[in-house]
Amino acid sequence: MNVEDLFGSFLSRLNQRLMAFPETSDATTLPAADPDQSYLLYLHVPYCMSLCPFCSFHRVRFDHDSATGYFKSLRHEVRLHEDLGYHFDELYVGGGTPTVLPAELFRTISEVRERHAITSVSVETNPDHLRPDSLQLLQDAGVNRLSVGVQSFDDELLQAMHRYEAYGSGAETAQRLKQASGRFDTLNVDMIFNLPQQTAVSLRRDLDILLDDVGADQVSFYPLMASETTRALMSRTMGAPGSTHERKFYEMIVERMLSAGYQRASAWCFSRAAGMLDEYIIDHDEYVGLGSGAFSYVGGSLYASAFAIQQYVRMVESGSSGTVNRRVLSERDQMRYYLLMRLFGGSLHKNQAEAHFNGKFQQKLWPELAALKSVGAIRHKGEALQLTERGYYLWVILMREFFGGINTLREQVRRDTVQEQPALRARE
Ligand code: SF4
């Protein structure tokens, strides 16, 4: 077993610890807010027009009536958390595809902005929604950052991913992205590398289109994250996932993005300027996630909301939050989580970490820090702990495992959702 595999399996165990939620689905609630703090608000919209075989996010096939009622519950749940004293300063709407009902999304963002001093709004979407009317509505709603799930411009890969018919060809997507460019502070493009059947030639062409044609402000290049269920589904549709090309492809991406003048914003995100990231967990110590299947991290605990959409709606409409699960992290696990997230962004300020953990951060985490140093993943530079070039790739593995742990958790509870929507299983 090489260092990468060892690292992956160690981190897999760490993730299982962090994400070991007790088995309960009783209603619970977030603690009262710290009155001196503003929080990032994440809203989850789990509807998609088509379900991609590689995806483990919490998503279901779009249904107009269900989605309309869901947005109403989402707005209600935000108000319930205002009663707990929460003030929000940033808003991130993710999914699924939040733009499935543009008018409902507009109303939801507007309501949050009316009652909170929101400084930035980020929304995820798909290429088929990059229409002039939808883009105008998003601009009118105050969206600063639009994140578009493209995954690849290669038509053969898009067909294998079932995205060609649903979201358009690579050329159509590139054209739509160019039209959307300049309308928002940040236009982010989400891509995937290490897809089954993806070749170096195909990846190089994707990079050419991104850099020479589209000129995106920000590109997030995710490694393929296969869970048990998606692995089986992919084997039947796109081909079996593996890790043979992962490192080589990552190095190709880094070399190309950095030489084109992009800066690393995280281990897999490259930006031309400072801006919000898909991984808001990097620079937010605490965040509130509302909506079915959303996670929150507040007061040293992780909270999960009901994945079954009808259960979520029933809970919120009866005046309870949609939160059903809480995982209390020990002080040491809180430190590990902090280390994981901060270094995903490339560096950690030791003074800030010590201030956050009452001067005990390095004293308690010395075994982890020593191990990371011994494999050449981190270096001390003045007051900062920084990822080395090797560390960046190890962190890609690490975060792949971290999100894989979340995906596994999602799958465990997803059965409830499928039982509610039997058609989903047949179509997957
Ligand atoms: S990849 Fe995006 S569009 Fe495809 S199922 Fe997942 S959330 Fe929906």
Side-chain angles (χ1 to χ4, degrees):
M1 202 181 251
N2 60 27
V3 173
E4 283 83 1
D5 290 339
L6 274 173
F7 203 66
S9 95
F10 162 74
L11 290 162
S12 198
R13 287 200 301 278
L14 172 60
N15 286 334
Q16 280 163 13
R17 278 175 59 87
L18 288 177
M19 303 309 291
F21 280 85
E23 284 186 19
T24 167
S25 60
D26 297 338
T28 178
T29 187
L30 265 53
D34 175 348
D36 298 327
Q37 196 180 329
S38 280
Y39 297 80
L40 176 136
L41 173 62
Y42 172 83
L43 298 179
H44 191 77
V45 180
Y47 298 92
C48 290
M49 303 313 284
S50 168
L51 303 180
C52 309
F54 60 86
C55 176
S56 305
F57 293 150
H58 175 44
R59 82 282 191 267
V60 296
R61 194 173 286 272
F62 174 66
D63 173 89
H64 187 278
D65 292 347
S66 168
T68 305
Y70 180 85
F71 269 104
K72 185 170 161 244
S73 300
L74 207 48
R75 294 191 287 270
H76 191 169
E77 200 188 14
V78 174
R79 290 195 289 276
L80 290 173
H81 286 79
E82 288 167 1
D83 296 341
L84 289 171
Y86 282 92
H87 297 287
F88 303 113
D89 57 5
E90 288 186 56
L91 174 62
Y92 191 106
V93 193
T97 312
T99 49
V100 281
L101 288 177
E104 289 293 332
L105 176 64
F106 178 86
R107 182 171 170 191
T108 306
I109 295 173
S110 301
E111 282 195 15
V112 172
R113 292 188 65 218
E114 274 163 24
R115 294 197 298 274
H116 301 270
I118 298 290
T119 56
S120 61
V121 181
S122 183
V123 168
E124 293 176 359
T125 190
N126 266 314
D128 59 323
H129 289 168
L130 298 179
R131 297 185 303 263
D133 54 335
S134 296
L135 292 171
Q136 190 57 52
L137 210 54
L138 291 168
Q139 279 183 284
D140 294 345
V143 172
N144 321 78
R145 178 178 178 274
L146 189 65
S147 180
V148 188
V150 170
Q151 324 310 356
S152 173
F153 294 100
D154 183 321
D155 287 344
E156 279 182 32
L157 290 177
L158 289 172
Q159 274 160 354
M161 286 189 268
H162 299 178
R163 290 183 64 90
Y164 184 91
E165 282 179 19
Y167 303 118
S169 69
E172 284 164 345
T173 296
Q175 187 59 29
R176 288 180 190 143
L177 287 168
K178 276 198 278 188
Q179 284 163 2
S181 182
R183 298 181 76 142
F184 303 91
D185 293 344
T186 306
L187 182 69
N188 173 75
V189 178
D190 281 349
M191 303 289 288
I192 298 183
F193 69 96
N194 195 36
L195 287 158
Q197 302 176 36
Q198 190 176 34
T199 61
V201 172
S202 167
L203 178 59
R204 209 168 287 124
R205 209 180 314 122
D206 278 355
L207 285 159
D208 288 343
I209 295 171
L210 280 168
L211 297 174
D212 303 337
D213 204 9
V214 172
D217 304 310
Q218 191 178 67
V219 185
S220 301
F221 257 106
Y222 294 87
L224 180 67
M225 298 180 211
S227 64
E228 272 176 37
T229 307
T230 57
R231 190 175 289 276
L233 196 55
M234 271 191 276
S235 298
R236 291 201 302 274
T237 53
M238 308 167 56
S243 58
T244 321
H245 301 300
E246 188 184 68
R247 183 170 196 153
K248 185 178 126 202
F249 285 2
Y250 180 67
E251 286 169 356
M252 271 175 66
I253 292 163
V254 171
E255 197 276 316
R256 194 69 197 280
M257 296 306 291
L258 297 188
S259 60
Y262 286 72
Q263 308 284 318
R264 270 182 164 127
S266 78
W268 58 52
C269 177
F270 303 85
S271 270
R272 287 211 285 215
M276 214 174 171
L277 304 176
D278 277 356
E279 284 74 34
Y280 52 83
I281 48 181
I282 291 174
D283 47 12
H284 289 82
D285 289 335
E286 299 192 311
Y287 48 88
V288 173
L290 304 183
S292 171
F295 290 92
S296 301
Y297 185 51
V298 180
S301 290
L302 283 161
Y303 296 82
S305 295
F307 279 74
I309 293 174
Q310 288 169 17
Q311 179 193 3
Y312 165 78
V313 169
R314 274 195 305 272
M315 288 172 74
V316 173
E317 294 313 310
S318 69
S320 146
S321 88
T323 312
V324 291
N325 227 316
R326 178 184 180 201
R327 163 91 170 94
V328 182
L329 300 192
S330 67
E331 186 186 46
R332 187 138 180 207
D333 279 344
Q334 289 179 46
M335 291 177 180
R336 287 169 165 153
Y337 183 78
Y338 185 95
L339 177 77
L340 194 74
M341 297 308 156
R342 283 296 195 276
L343 283 182
F344 184 37
S347 69
L348 175 154
H349 292 277
K350 290 183 264 185
N351 291 345
Q352 284 176 8
E354 295 301 351
H356 195 80
F357 292 104
N358 302 319
K360 292 189 280 186
F361 184 76
Q362 290 173 90
Q363 179 203 334
K364 290 247 173 166
L365 274 203
W366 73 264
E368 285 85 349
L369 295 174
L372 289 169
K373 196 145 189 295
S374 73
V375 297
I378 57 171
R379 64 170 165 250
H380 295 266
K381 190 169 180 200
E383 198 275 303
L385 262 184
Q386 292 181 336
L387 285 184
T388 60
E389 202 49 51
R390 177 182 180 75
Y392 270 110
Y393 178 60
L394 291 176
W395 237 254
V396 167
I397 298 173
L398 189 159
M399 294 309 292
R400 159 162 59 68
E401 291 298 320
F402 176 78
F403 287 115
I406 294 179
N407 290 346
T408 300
L409 182 72
R410 284 184 177 120
E411 282 173 358
Q412 281 165 7
V413 285
R414 203 189 204 180
R415 260 174 286 128
D416 301 341
T417 314
V418 175
Q419 277 162 12
E420 283 185 354
Q421 303 198 5
L424 178 65
R425 179 172 283 159
R427 283 166 178 163
E428 282 184 329

